[in-house]
Amino acid sequence: MALSALVMIGCGKSNERLLTSATGSIYECLVICSESVKEPVCNTMGADMYALPQMEPYFTVSHVTPGQFDDLFKSSRNILLVDINEHKYTQMKVQHSRNVWSKPQAFIRIQAPDEETFLAYWKSNGEAVREWFVREELARQITFYRANTNKDARAKLGKWGYDMLIPEDFITVEDVQLTIEDLDVDAVWCCNNKGPMRKDIIVYSYPYTAQEQFSHESILAMRNEVLGRLVSAQVPGSHMGTEYKHFPPVTRQVPALRDTTGGFYAMETRGLWKMLDGEAMGGPFVSLTRLDQVNGRVVTAEAFIFAAGQKKRNALRQTEAVLYSLEMPNEHK
């Protein structure tokens, strides 16, 4: 059963109530289930996130049993409830809702008649359930960014017909044109270098010539060319590259956030970057590569983080949300 098959449940009149603010930090999830199924559920929700220099989980998980779940927990921002009861249910049912007891809140209820049925479902769909919560967090972050954005960076992207909610605390580093293998490449680079953590966003586009440009190998080859020319360190000759030995980069197809119209799909590439021929620097990166059908160009938006010795999950996810706000010329609202 795929995530798209989850039963959509509206909140009905509950949206009309005055809801309290959700409690907890981003990427925290409350799991409500019996002790007998706690291990597989919490192991999936709290699994190590791929391609981070230090091990960090997808979600920081808290667990209570159904009997312990009371009003104190109902304001949690992400809640996964597993209800197994042979007297109440005869088949599996999965419901997902928003803003049930607080706002913003994501809530999934899984009902099963017995543990065997639930565990079979979870083995096939647990990662898809986790992905739904991830995308809810990304969507919330986009909503937050809408209020305060970098108007200069958005104007520079606007010259190409694009828009993206680059936060106002980012500064524009470069707006350049490059020639790579006879392709004209436009690039806008923005950076937030406040405090001990640095966050960068680079958007670059180049002519679309073949479907193969969306392959894993082609996306990484262009990444190495563009970022290798733009990003350097203090050591002369140093330049950015991609780490292939530890956590080799991975690429997958992803849909738009909360897409209900069969709209855009993107190729997501996630991995580690490192400086070549220079200082020992590196960190995580994630990119989305899309097709600009109006202008016939391939567009890649990448976020990368540098924060030596610090946890990076939340910062990377927050910056990743910016990438999902990218709009092509025919998508502006």
Side-chain angles (χ1 to χ4, degrees), residues 35-77:
E35 292 287 347
S36 57
V37 298
K38 170 186 173 181
E39 184 174 351
V41 175
C42 291
N43 284 353
T44 298
M45 296 301 295
D48 289 332
M49 187 173 160
Y50 189 78
L52 288 178
Q54 298 88 20
M55 293 296 97
E56 297 181 64
Y58 279 92
F59 283 89
T60 302
V61 177
S62 300
H63 170 260
V64 296
T65 63
Q68 294 170 325
F69 182 58
D70 57 22
D71 289 344
L72 179 65
F73 297 103
K74 287 183 177 179
S75 61
S76 302
R77 65 189 287 122

Side-chain angles (χ1 to χ4, degrees), residues 304-320:
F304 61 91
I305 304 291
F306 177 69
Q310 298 185 62
K311 293 183 176 180
K312 303 172 180 64
R313 178 195 67 186
N314 289 0
L316 182 66
R317 287 296 200 191
Q318 288 172 322
T319 315
E320 179 181 349

Side-chain angles (χ1 to χ4, degrees), residues 155-223:
K156 285 179 166 50
L157 291 174
K159 293 188 302 183
W160 312 340
Y162 311 141
D163 192 21
M164 194 163 74
L165 302 178
I166 299 174
E168 67 176 354
D169 55 358
F170 279 67
I171 61 171
T172 306
V173 178
E174 282 194 84
D175 176 10
V176 298
Q177 288 187 318
L178 308 169
T179 301
I180 298 176
E181 298 182 356
D182 297 326
L183 296 178
D184 294 327
V185 179
D186 296 319
V188 170
W189 177 9
C190 300
C191 169
N192 180 326
N193 195 21
K194 296 181 179 179
M197 178 174 292
R198 174 172 173 140
K199 296 177 281 189
D200 289 79
I201 295 173
I202 294 182
V203 182
Y204 55 94
S205 71
Y206 47 95
Y208 173 74
T209 59
Q211 179 63 33
E212 287 72 23
Q213 289 173 297
F214 286 84
S215 70
H216 175 72
E217 294 75 15
S218 181
I219 289 171
L220 287 171
M222 186 58 73
R223 176 190 190 275

Side-chain angles (χ1 to χ4, degrees), residues 232-304:
S232 62
Q234 294 182 350
V235 176
S238 65
H239 59 282
M240 178 176 281
T242 303
E243 172 61 57
Y244 290 95
K245 183 176 180 181
H246 304 287
F247 292 113
V250 294
T251 299
R252 62 171 183 158
Q253 188 180 72
V254 294
L257 289 174
R258 297 191 182 179
D259 176 45
T260 59
T261 62
F264 86 74
Y265 278 73
M267 300 305 293
E268 174 200 273
T269 302
R270 190 179 298 272
L272 298 175
W273 64 271
K274 64 179 180 180
M275 295 305 296
L276 303 176
D277 302 325
E279 303 166 65
M281 298 175 63
F285 78 87
V286 60
S287 71
L288 295 180
T289 299
R290 299 187 55 196
L291 176 62
D292 171 5
Q293 296 179 332
V294 173
N295 298 305
R297 296 180 71 83
V298 180
V299 185
T300 294
E302 174 170 325
F304 61 91

